[in-house]
Amino acid sequence: MRLRVLAVGQKMPAWVDQGVEEYARRLPREMPVEWLDIPPAKRSGASVDQYRQMEAEAICAKLTRDDHLVALDVAGKAISTEIIAERLDQWRMQGQQVSIVIGGPDGLHARVLELAKERWSLGRITLPHPLVRVVLSEQLYRAWSVQAGHPYHRGN
């Protein structure tokens, strides 16, 4: 399984990079997560949809035909740590290439949402883009800990 996170945005605050790196460091060698920054569209008087479209082009340029695309979307399916753990296990067993996409401040363009095989919601609250990176990183680690029977996850 190859797992990548494509995140719109650059130059994250140090606390974001530290949080993502902390959970990535805890993952075993067998489950590396590659984090790719997608440059946000330059704000220059275009419409929000045009910004989304420019970002969608940059996202799609990083995808391959074999990628199983998961889009993080507030309108997506509410997920739990246990669901993420199940999906990781399925992807690993199938040897899939998975790309999880975090949109920019304006969200994801319809083109990316249409390409997505799955749309996940981290909840109905609006989270700042940098925080989503840390939350996703932690959840990937937590999901691995569920699979591995590691004591980090103590959920019922």
Side-chain angles (χ1 to χ4, degrees):
M1 173 182 76
R2 182 189 79 187
L3 182 58
R4 299 185 310 161
V5 177
L6 310 176
V8 176
Q10 293 178 308
K11 299 179 186 161
M12 290 293 112
W15 65 267
V16 173
D17 292 335
Q18 290 166 353
V20 169
E21 288 169 13
E22 173 64 23
Y23 291 108
R25 182 184 58 74
R26 293 181 185 191
L27 286 168
R29 211 173 317 153
E30 302 80 48
M31 194 183 142
V33 178
E34 179 183 7
W35 288 79
L36 299 172
D37 286 339
I38 304 294
K42 297 212 186 294
R43 302 308 195 244
S44 60
S47 71
V48 169
D49 194 56
Q50 289 171 317
Y51 297 142
R52 284 188 201 131
Q53 185 173 2
M54 288 184 262
E55 292 166 357
E57 290 169 10
I59 291 166
C60 291
K62 299 287 185 187
L63 299 174
T64 69
R65 284 186 340 164
D66 296 330
D67 278 342
H68 180 93
L69 183 62
V70 177
L72 295 186
D73 179 28
V74 72
K77 176 185 176 183
I79 57 164
S80 65
T81 301
E82 291 76 15
I83 290 172
I84 297 171
E86 289 172 13
R87 298 302 292 134
L88 287 174
D89 192 46
Q90 290 168 355
W91 296 332
R92 185 179 52 78
M93 296 300 282
Q94 295 168 355
Q96 287 197 279
Q97 299 179 91
V98 179
S99 289
I100 300 173
V101 178
I102 301 171
D106 299 312
L108 292 167
H109 189 268
R111 178 178 174 204
V112 175
L113 295 174
E114 290 167 7
L115 288 173
K117 301 273 195 286
E118 300 179 48
R119 290 168 62 181
W120 291 356
S121 172
L122 297 178
R124 298 297 177 218
I125 60 172
T126 302
L127 296 170
H129 172 84
L131 185 56
V132 171
R133 291 177 184 229
V134 178
V135 169
L136 178 61
S137 184
E138 191 277 340
Q139 282 298 295
L140 291 172
Y141 174 70
R142 185 176 293 273
W144 168 82
S145 75
V146 167
Q147 290 178 328
H150 189 279
Y152 178 80
H153 179 72
R154 293 179 180 85
N156 295 331

